[in-house]
Amino acid sequence: MKKEVIAMPKKVLRSQSAHYPFPVLLNKTRVLTREGKGIVIDKQTEWIYVQLEKNGSIIKTSIFLTELIETA
């Protein structure tokens, strides 16, 4: 069995970024979080809600702790 290695997202300081470090389209933007890959389903200020691909659970995380994978 081959394990997938996931690089941890880099933290971006708020003072060094715009309001959002990348454009966010609900239900279309895929991101990498500490918990895994997922799709952004809601956003409130710096907080985003991500539905994880691996188990479908929804997590709340700071957009500054995620990395953009793609925007469909």
Side-chain angles (χ1 to χ4, degrees):
M1 298 278 295
K2 199 174 185 184
K3 277 195 150 184
E4 182 181 343
V5 177
I6 299 175
M8 292 303 295
K10 298 177 197 93
K11 180 165 174 73
V12 176
L13 298 176
R14 285 185 207 117
S15 61
Q16 297 175 342
S17 66
H19 187 63
Y20 284 102
F22 50 84
V24 175
L25 298 175
L26 299 182
N27 300 312
K28 293 183 179 181
T29 303
R30 293 183 65 227
V31 294
L32 175 64
T33 69
R34 292 182 191 174
E35 290 81 8
K37 298 175 186 175
I39 296 179
V40 178
I41 59 169
D42 194 14
K43 63 181 180 178
Q44 298 172 357
T45 60
E46 82 170 79
W47 300 102
I48 58 173
Y49 293 84
V50 178
Q51 184 170 19
L52 299 177
E53 293 175 355
K54 63 182 176 184
N55 58 10
S57 63
I58 297 172
I59 60 165
K60 177 182 176 182
T61 187
S62 169
I63 192 155
F64 299 104
L65 296 176
T66 63
E67 286 197 18
L68 176 66
I69 295 176
E70 69 178 353
T71 300

